[in-house]
Amino acid sequence: MTHSPRFVSAILAWRPTWFLARLLLTSAYILGGLVKLTDWQGTVAEQAHFGMSPPAFWAALTIALELIGPLLILTGRLVWLGAGMLGVFTLLAAFTANAFWTMPAGQERFMATNAFFEHIGLIGGFILVAMIADRKQADA
């Protein structure tokens, strides 16, 4: 087994790194939730654009998920729940907003394909955060 270089181990062991990693992972959701909260009409219109009905309900649910999920992850309380909420939300959003398989070849399909797989990568990040938090709790 090859060990990480000392400086890498030091960075990974540094207590703020765990918080910073979680903040970076959830930052788009925090920003998205705050932007949606301050632009209610735009948020409702976005939900209607994606065919979500009733759009006001889905707008409120989206805002709640985008703010509560990161809060749970960042506070270290019920990390599995926050990560699960954001993971499922992200999967549903990927299929709803980035259905590249329904698009003809071209730039729009290329962009949707990239966005879809970026969302899948985020889901992997949420799984890892939940696993690490679970391990930290078991070791405590």
Side-chain angles (χ1 to χ4, degrees):
M1 180 200 292
T2 305
H3 294 282
S4 301
R6 277 199 174 134
F7 79 93
V8 172
S9 293
I11 292 168
L12 295 176
W14 188 47
R15 188 171 180 91
T17 300
W18 172 231
F19 180 80
L20 182 60
R22 292 176 291 152
L23 180 62
L24 293 172
L25 180 64
T26 60
S27 63
Y29 298 89
I30 296 167
L31 180 61
L34 292 174
V35 168
K36 287 175 179 71
L37 187 61
T38 59
D39 182 14
W40 176 253
Q41 296 296 25
T43 302
V44 172
E46 178 185 46
Q47 297 301 317
H49 168 76
F50 288 117
M52 307 303 285
S53 182
F57 168 79
W58 291 104
L61 184 60
T62 298
I63 292 168
L65 287 170
E66 287 188 333
L67 296 177
I68 294 170
L71 181 66
L72 294 174
I73 291 170
L74 293 173
T75 60
R77 304 225 185 258
L78 301 174
V79 174
W80 64 268
L81 180 59
M85 288 168 56
L86 292 177
V88 170
F89 171 76
T90 301
L91 183 64
L92 295 174
F95 277 97
T96 301
N98 300 301
F100 66 90
W101 54 90
T102 66
M103 300 174 179
Q107 185 66 20
E108 186 178 354
R109 181 180 178 144
F110 176 78
M111 298 294 287
T113 302
N114 281 343
F116 181 87
F117 285 101
E118 286 170 357
H119 281 76
I120 298 302
L122 284 169
I123 295 166
F126 290 125
I127 293 168
L128 289 171
V129 162
M131 290 171 66
I132 292 167
D134 188 63
R135 169 92 31 116
K136 284 179 165 289
Q137 188 174 19
D139 291 345

